[in-house]
Amino acid sequence: MTTLSPENSLSARLSASFILVKRKPPIDKTEWDGFFDENGQLAKSRDFICVNILERGLHPFVRTEAWKFLTGYYSWQSSQDERLTVDSTRRKNYEALCQMYEKIQPLLENLHRNFTETRNNIAYDIQKLYDKDPLGNVIIDKKKLEKILLLSYVCNTQAEYQQGFHEMVMLFQLMVEHDHETFWLFQFFLQKTEHSCVINIGVGKNLDMLNNLISFLDPVFAKHLKGKGAGAVQSLFPWFCLCFQRAFKSFDDVWRLWEVLLTGKPCRNFQVLVAYSLLQMVREQVLKESMAGDDILLACNNLVDLDADELISAACLVYAELIQKDVPKPLKDFLL
């Protein structure tokens, strides 16, 4: 049986309670403010807050500030005055990056063919975004979004632009008020989630671990996926590239899952357990109809309008099952 650290034991216990007990209301503004002392420093532990976010989620009124802690935009040890300084510094740094970009843009256009191609791809992707709410009000600024994506591409040497980033950054723009917050939260989100949504860094590893997890927990399903269903799991890379964004019924559900991923609770790389839980939703149909790879992919793509809490609960149940088993070392190192 896997030996658990005290922190993992706590996570296991609380994960089980998340599954079995009706979820309490999300953390609201009054409760969030109560986590801080008179100097604006956290009076509760980071672990306490993260476990509560896993179990309960965040009210929209506190999400922006809480995410700044979860991503690393703010230090958990900072005071209110220190956070004001951080905000000012991040704004100035963003403005400096924008000025640098304006200066080197002609050079990039002339010397780097990939820049022009990427800029065109960003522009094309953004134009496809629907920018209005149900009442017809414009809710996103496409020009600012394009600027942030271009700047991210130029400045981020690890994560090149990939299709889907425009949808992810849009959600950050909807959450916060200022451009510098959108830019930095996206950068910190990529780092905090270990670039798990980046094709050339984390996506392949996630898919490999998902295959390993299926083989370990569900050998019957794994046998089918390696036989008639060959190639299906590797084709599920959009789940990871978009952090499951298209599977949910609302932006609030997307944010709900993402903030859980940012907590690192109940374990690292929780996104793999989420993907496993999604596959379990189509398992019975796949085996009953003896589906081939393309049909499995279609069934998975039809998993839409999901409830984030139900999916998180299912993934926590997988975690609770895992910690009772003798998990193979590669899988254990990646998840536990």
Side-chain angles (χ1 to χ4, degrees):
M1 184 179 297
T2 301
T3 302
L4 298 178
S5 67
E7 180 177 348
N8 280 341
S9 297
L10 175 65
S11 296
R13 176 174 57 80
L14 292 169
S15 296
S17 70
F18 180 87
I19 297 161
L20 299 173
V21 180
K22 183 178 179 181
R23 188 167 71 97
K24 296 178 182 178
I27 300 168
D28 61 18
K29 187 71 167 64
T30 300
E31 185 175 3
W32 177 260
D33 289 344
F35 291 159
F36 298 85
D37 64 20
E38 63 275 9
N39 295 318
Q41 291 185 307
L42 282 170
K44 298 289 186 179
S45 71
R46 172 180 177 176
D47 194 64
F48 172 87
I49 294 172
C50 286
V51 168
N52 270 272
I53 292 172
L54 165 68
E55 293 188 312
R56 300 166 53 197
L58 295 164
H59 189 280
F61 289 170
V62 302
R63 182 164 278 141
T64 299
E65 183 176 3
W67 274 51
K68 288 182 176 180
F69 286 94
L70 289 172
T71 58
Y73 182 105
Y74 288 153
S75 166
W76 290 92
Q77 287 76 42
S78 61
S79 66
Q80 177 62 29
D81 288 343
E82 288 169 338
R83 291 194 289 277
L84 290 173
T85 300
V86 166
D87 269 322
S88 177
T89 301
R90 300 221 186 277
R91 177 181 55 79
K92 291 176 182 177
N93 288 345
Y94 175 76
E95 291 170 353
L97 289 174
C98 289
Q99 293 172 4
M100 176 204 71
Y101 170 74
E102 293 297 328
K103 291 179 180 179
I104 67 172
Q105 183 179 349
L107 184 64
L108 293 171
E109 292 172 341
N110 292 328
L111 298 180
H112 294 274
R113 184 176 58 185
N114 288 346
F115 172 79
T116 302
E117 181 181 350
T118 300
R119 184 175 60 183
N120 291 339
N121 289 339
I122 290 173
Y124 177 75
D125 288 342
I126 287 177
Q127 288 310 308
K128 292 188 296 182
L129 283 174
Y130 190 72
D131 60 355
K132 295 181 175 63
D133 66 14
L135 298 177
N137 302 309
V138 175
I139 57 174
I140 59 172
D141 189 319
K142 289 187 174 182
K143 287 187 176 180
K144 288 184 176 180
L145 191 60
E146 182 175 357
K147 179 180 179 180
I148 290 168
L149 285 165
L150 275 170
L151 193 61
S152 179
Y153 166 67
V154 171
C155 297
N156 194 327
T157 58
Q158 285 188 289
E160 295 185 356
Y161 179 77
Q162 64 188 40
Q163 191 173 39
F165 274 3
H166 64 299
E167 296 181 41
M168 295 180 70
V169 176
M170 177 191 72
L171 286 182
F172 286 98
Q173 190 183 71
L174 289 172
M175 185 194 300
V176 299
E177 183 178 357
H178 302 292
D179 291 351
H180 73 274
E181 294 173 307
T182 303
F183 174 81
W184 288 116
L185 280 176
F186 179 57
Q187 305 308 313
F188 283 118
F189 179 85
L190 292 178
Q191 294 175 23
K192 190 69 176 180
T193 56
E194 301 182 51
H195 293 87
S196 66
C197 62
V198 181
I199 289 177
N200 63 346
I201 302 177
V203 172
K205 185 69 171 176
N206 283 327
L207 291 169
D208 290 342
M209 289 300 116
L210 177 58
N211 268 317
N212 290 346
L213 184 61
I214 299 167
S215 296
F216 179 63
L217 290 180
D218 195 346
V220 173
F221 197 23
K223 183 178 179 180
H224 180 85
L225 291 172
K226 292 175 182 177
K228 190 171 182 180
V233 172
Q234 293 303 119
S235 298
L236 295 174
F237 65 89
W239 279 356
F240 295 111
C241 291
L242 292 166
C243 283
F244 311 97
Q245 183 174 339
R246 293 177 182 169
F248 294 111
K249 61 185 177 182
S250 71
F251 291 156
D252 280 325
D253 285 280
V254 180
W255 286 321
R256 171 75 178 110
L257 175 64
W258 287 7
E259 64 203 18
V260 169
L261 297 180
L262 287 169
T263 66
K265 304 292 182 183
C267 62
R268 288 180 59 226
N269 295 303
F270 187 60
Q271 69 276 357
V272 174
L273 304 190
V274 171
Y276 177 86
S277 301
L278 285 170
L279 272 172
Q280 288 295 302
M281 294 180 187
V282 301
R283 178 189 188 276
E284 183 177 352
Q285 179 188 6
V286 168
L287 295 179
K288 182 178 180 180
E289 300 178 15
S290 190
M291 286 183 172
D294 289 344
D295 292 328
I296 296 172
L297 181 59
L298 180 61
C300 289
N301 288 339
N302 286 335
L303 292 172
V304 295
D305 295 331
L306 300 180
D307 179 274
D309 280 315
E310 292 178 1
L311 183 57
I312 292 166
S313 180
C316 284
L317 190 59
V318 176
Y319 172 72
E321 180 182 359
L322 268 179
I323 60 175
Q324 300 301 318
K325 297 179 178 289
D326 186 14
V327 181
K329 190 175 188 306
L331 203 55
K332 179 181 176 182
D333 291 344
F334 191 69
L335 295 172
L336 306 178

